[in-house]
Amino acid sequence: FEARINYVNDVCMEGSFPEKYFTVFPWLLAYIGKNKESDEIVTVLWYYKWVIMIMHEFPSISKVQIENALEDLRKRYNEFGSTDKVYHDYSREAYQNLGDYEKSAFHNQKHLAFKKRDHLDDCDACVVNRIVTFYIVTGDIKEALKRAQPILTGKKTCTHIPKDTYTNFITPLLVQKQNDLASDFAEKLEKTLKRSKYGGDFTNIYPLILYHCVHARMSSALKLFEKYFGDVFIAKAPDRKFNFYCAAINMLTRVEKTTIKLKLPQNFILFNKDNVYEVSALTGWLEEETNKIAAMFDKRNGNDKYKKAKAKILSIK
């Protein structure tokens, strides 16, 4: 039990290998099912929401499976004496990630109606960040900024916050051409990342690539791409590749040369031992990959969320 719990935290979550949740978590759920008086139940239930949080990242996991997992979490939490607060919190995020903003808004209102902490709530910083992210994703930047004040003023922080908050704000601000505020958040994100030891930091890099591109700092953008491409390339969750690859396409369209020098991993399909790559070939590969990822997710979700997300990133000038 202890080995699997540590694996869930250190490898799946902090090490950023979310696909490995599915190799150990069913065993943990079965364990607390057989040991109903165990003190470890609360730990497994706490991590259960993290598993549900990443399910959308894999297009092979259907909407029905995600919805069933949410209902199972609700049932287990209720049996443990918890309210529906965490259920609505994570349902809002799940439907938001699936592109069903109507259902996400419904769960947002239900979640906001709870005024007290639940004993299975995440830390205050993470709870506030998810509320902020909902308003960012649904296009209400003004409301998002208002609700983000406890985070932006440093009153609420944790391992992932404000790092993830800055990440979520930058791209929409660049799309809206609020470049000054985007630059402020990007500079703070870069400082935060320098202090971070989290294995999943590559998911925070794509807005910084876009930020440097907007300010014509191509050398900085290319360095970020080169440094983090290997981590992105081996990631098993297609969702974790998508934004980075889209940002890279935006970056490469600005390169004026026909070839570019980059140190890319040897397992990359276009690997060249001379470290020289044709810009058109890299762009073509990235286009193919992002289109493939978008098609898989949009088919699963029943909408065009990913297709629109790519268009927004490529629209940034």
Side-chain angles (χ1 to χ4, degrees):
F1 179 88
E2 290 298 330
R4 287 174 171 85
I5 282 294
N6 290 332
Y7 191 78
V8 163
N9 184 67
D10 299 343
V11 177
C12 307
M13 182 65 177
E14 302 303 332
S16 196
F17 293 95
E19 70 280 359
K20 297 186 181 297
Y21 274 121
F22 308 120
T23 67
V24 296
F25 209 76
W27 187 95
L28 291 169
L29 286 177
Y31 178 88
I32 63 171
K34 295 175 182 177
N35 299 274
K36 296 185 182 298
E37 303 301 321
S38 172
D39 293 336
E40 288 102 350
I41 289 177
V42 65
T43 305
V44 177
L45 293 180
W46 181 275
Y47 286 153
Y48 195 10
K49 57 193 174 183
W50 293 0
V51 177
I52 290 176
M53 177 178 66
I54 58 89
M55 290 178 75
H56 79 278
E57 297 185 22
F58 300 89
S60 58
I61 298 177
S62 70
K63 287 178 66 174
V64 171
Q65 287 175 307
I66 294 171
E67 290 171 334
N68 288 344
L70 284 166
E71 285 301 323
D72 185 58
L73 176 137
R74 183 183 203 175
K75 179 176 177 245
R76 291 174 185 271
Y77 275 35
N78 288 167
E79 289 174 350
F80 193 69
S82 179
T83 67
D84 279 349
K85 185 183 179 187
V86 177
Y87 161 75
H88 287 301
D89 188 0
Y90 276 80
S91 292
R92 173 189 53 217
E93 183 174 54
Y95 284 112
Q96 165 191 301
N97 290 327
L98 291 169
D100 190 336
Y101 302 120
E102 184 176 341
K103 286 185 179 179
S104 184
F106 168 80
H107 288 288
N108 181 54
Q109 290 304 313
K110 289 288 187 180
H111 176 253
L112 293 178
F114 289 90
K115 303 305 179 185
K116 296 181 180 180
R117 276 187 60 81
D118 187 277
H119 60 286
L120 286 172
D121 257 331
D122 287 325
C123 75
D124 286 346
C126 283
V127 171
V128 172
N129 181 66
R130 277 195 296 278
I131 296 170
V132 170
T133 303
F134 167 79
Y135 289 105
I136 292 174
V137 170
T138 54
D140 193 345
I141 297 296
K142 184 177 179 181
E143 182 67 17
L145 287 168
K146 177 182 175 182
R147 291 183 176 272
Q149 287 310 301
I151 293 173
L152 300 178
T153 57
K155 292 180 180 178
K156 294 187 184 298
T157 64
C158 70
T159 303
H160 305 286
I161 310 301
K163 179 176 60 178
D164 289 351
T165 311
Y166 294 144
T167 299
N168 293 333
F169 265 120
I170 295 169
T171 302
L173 288 171
L174 290 175
V175 170
Q176 295 185 7
K177 299 192 181 302
Q178 296 189 48
N179 291 349
D180 289 343
L181 187 55
S183 296
D184 179 45
F185 288 163
E187 290 166 7
K188 289 176 179 176
L189 176 58
E190 286 188 319
K191 290 179 181 178
T192 304
L193 287 171
K194 287 180 181 178
R195 302 190 297 268
S196 175
K197 296 180 180 179
Y198 173 55
D201 282 341
F202 67 84
T203 59
N204 301 94
I205 298 303
Y206 76 93
L208 294 179
I209 292 175
L210 295 168
Y211 156 69
H212 286 303
C213 285
V214 166
H215 292 279
R217 292 193 288 267
M218 295 307 298
S219 176
S220 296
L222 287 164
K223 283 180 181 177
L224 286 173
F225 173 77
E226 184 179 59
K227 179 178 179 179
Y228 289 95
F229 178 78
D231 291 334
V232 178
F233 182 69
I234 66 170
K236 300 296 184 183
D239 182 77
R240 300 197 173 198
K241 303 171 183 279
F242 185 72
N243 288 330
F244 185 93
Y245 285 174
C246 289
I249 294 171
N250 185 307
M251 174 190 71
L252 290 173
T253 60
R254 301 166 189 264
V255 175
E256 297 178 352
K257 299 178 181 179
T258 57
T259 61
I260 192 169
K261 196 162 188 177
L262 293 166
K263 289 184 179 179
L264 300 181
Q266 293 185 18
N267 56 342
F268 178 43
I269 191 170
L270 299 180
F271 174 73
N272 187 333
K273 63 181 180 181
D274 295 326
N275 298 326
V276 177
Y277 295 88
E278 290 187 6
V279 173
S280 61
L282 281 177
T283 304
W285 183 85
L286 290 164
E287 284 280 6
E288 184 178 345
E289 288 298 303
T290 51
N291 287 340
K292 184 166 58 177
I293 293 171
M296 288 190 298
F297 280 111
D298 286 346
K299 181 179 180 181
R300 191 271 309 274
N301 298 343
N303 53 50
D304 58 357
K305 175 181 182 282
Y306 280 78
K307 181 180 179 181
K308 286 181 177 178
K310 178 179 177 178
K312 281 186 178 180
I313 290 176
L314 297 188
S315 74
I316 295 173
K317 304 299 182 184

